[in-house]
Structures are given as C-alpha cells and as structure tokens.
Amino acid sequence: GLATACAAHARAGVFPGPGHQLRLGPALSPPRAPAMPLIGLFMKATMENIEKIEFPETTDWTFDVLSGNGVDVRERVTVNAQDEVEVPNSKATANFTCKFEGSKQAATISIVTMSRKVECRDLKGQTLGVYSGGARGQLEPIALFDCRGMEPTRWYPVGPFRVTAVDGGKCFEDVDLREAQGDGWCEYDDKKDQPVGISELEFEFKVVK
C-alpha cells in the first residue's frame, strides 16, 4: 500500500528517476549547505471525467523530511514558493530551512520555478505544476525541489489544488486530495451534468539530473 511504499522510500533515502530547463525562484539563491540533488515529486492517479489537476505557485507543499545523514525526521513541514527565509550564517535565502541536531549548517528546501535556469535533463519536455493523467500507469512530475542537507520522504496532498472537469466542465478550487489516497475524492459537475472523481493517488520522490 501507499504507507508501505512511503516507509520504504524513507528507508531508502533517495530515488533514481525522470524535466525541462527549469529555474530557481527569482529572489532565491542556493545556500551553501551539504549538497543534495534536485528531487522531483512524481504522481499518478485514476481520474474520472477530470481534464487536469493544477498545483498553483501558491501551493503549500506539506512533507515529512529526512536529514542528510538519514537519522532525523521532521513531520509535516510546509514549503511554499511565496516564502523567503534567510539561511542562518549565510547571505542565501530559501523557501524552508531548519537545523538538525548535530549539524553545523542549516538544511534547506527551495521550490524550483520557471525564473532562473536550472539544467535538468531528466525532465526535458515535461510540464510541472499540472497533472493530466499522462501515459497510463506512468508517474508524472508535478514539482521539483532543490534540497540541501535534507530530503522529502512523504507528501501530504492537502492543497489547495485546482481540479478541472473534462469538456469545458466545472473548475473546482481549493481541493484537498487526501481523500484521493483513500476512498477517493468525488464531486458533481453541474455545469456538464457529470460525476467527477480522483482515486488511487500515488506518489514518489526521485532524484533528477
């Protein structure tokens, strides 16, 4: 199940896996901390009468994170591209920072956006920030993170996300997709007179280059 997969991911630490020429947020400069690679968040889901799921730049990404030495876990931290925090003992900034016990430097996470180029061969031709189903059964990238001294191991899809029904149907705002990991997220599109739903949501973190 999903929980078992998450636990396995946390034990494994990092994941090999598939970008585009992407960029780090305009006001952000990569801090000098224990270097870790770019990590992509990939997902797949079964969608009924859904055209796409969008992840706006204002999205709160909620994660469990693992320290670079693989020992300490922080649960349910929130990373938002709109947040800019100073990295202690550095002129750099990041979207999220914390200090793990025994570490000399702060660990950071920054969301990779489309403003300053970051070469990422694995995601070439991919579009971040939206999920439209892709190839059947294939995990698709939805976000990319520059991680220094820690990495995300579990994603809580609390949103708010935006879901659009097929055929010019209704757009649902402020969607929380945690139900899609269980019994399923279900709504009714009164614009096109059709049921809509998202279920079997799975995710994986992968190192991208």
Side-chain angles (χ1 to χ4, degrees):
L2 183 61
T4 303
C6 293
H9 293 167
R11 289 195 299 272
V14 294
F15 315 94
H20 201 81
Q21 285 199 336
L22 303 164
R23 322 168 189 186
L24 210 51
L28 304 178
S29 53
R32 291 187 175 277
M36 298 190 80
L38 295 174
I39 295 179
L41 173 58
F42 293 69
M43 71 163 278
K44 65 178 180 178
T46 298
M47 303 198 296
E48 179 187 4
N49 295 324
I50 297 295
E51 176 188 333
K52 61 185 176 180
I53 305 169
E54 294 177 273
F55 306 89
E57 287 196 7
T58 53
T59 294
D60 284 332
W61 297 97
T62 303
F63 302 129
D64 290 348
V65 295
L66 180 69
S67 62
N69 61 10
V71 174
D72 295 322
V73 174
R74 296 278 177 93
E75 296 183 347
R76 300 184 72 91
V77 305
T78 298
V79 184
N80 189 305
Q82 309 298 305
D83 295 336
E84 182 183 349
V85 293
E86 294 184 359
V87 180
N89 304 314
S90 168
K91 294 181 180 179
T93 57
N95 294 137
F96 174 79
T97 181
C98 72
K99 190 100 179 297
F100 290 99
E101 187 175 352
S103 175
K104 294 180 180 179
Q105 295 173 297
T108 66
I109 295 179
S110 289
I111 298 168
V112 178
T113 61
M114 302 300 285
S115 11
R116 191 172 35 174
K117 290 184 179 179
V118 172
E119 293 290 338
C120 194
R121 297 188 307 273
D122 290 344
L123 298 184
K124 195 168 185 178
Q126 303 277 6
T127 301
L128 300 179
V130 62
Y131 177 78
S132 54
R136 184 174 179 84
Q138 295 291 313
L139 288 158
E140 300 289 336
I142 58 171
L144 186 62
F145 304 93
D146 184 322
C147 302
R148 314 283 176 121
M150 65 178 158
E151 63 180 294
T153 57
R154 178 177 180 178
W155 174 42
Y156 298 88
V158 296
F161 310 124
R162 185 184 304 119
V163 175
T164 304
V166 295
D167 301 327
K170 187 174 181 177
C171 180
F172 299 87
E173 302 281 354
D174 301 327
V175 175
D176 180 334
L177 288 178
R178 283 176 294 181
E179 290 181 356
Q181 293 179 301
D183 295 335
W185 175 85
C186 302
E187 281 289 347
Y188 188 76
D189 175 10
D190 50 18
K191 186 176 178 182
K192 289 293 182 177
D193 193 27
Q194 61 185 354
V196 296
I198 302 169
S199 60
E200 299 179 314
L201 188 154
E202 298 179 30
F203 71 88
E204 186 174 341
F205 289 104
K206 301 181 183 183
V207 171
V208 296
K209 298 179 181 179

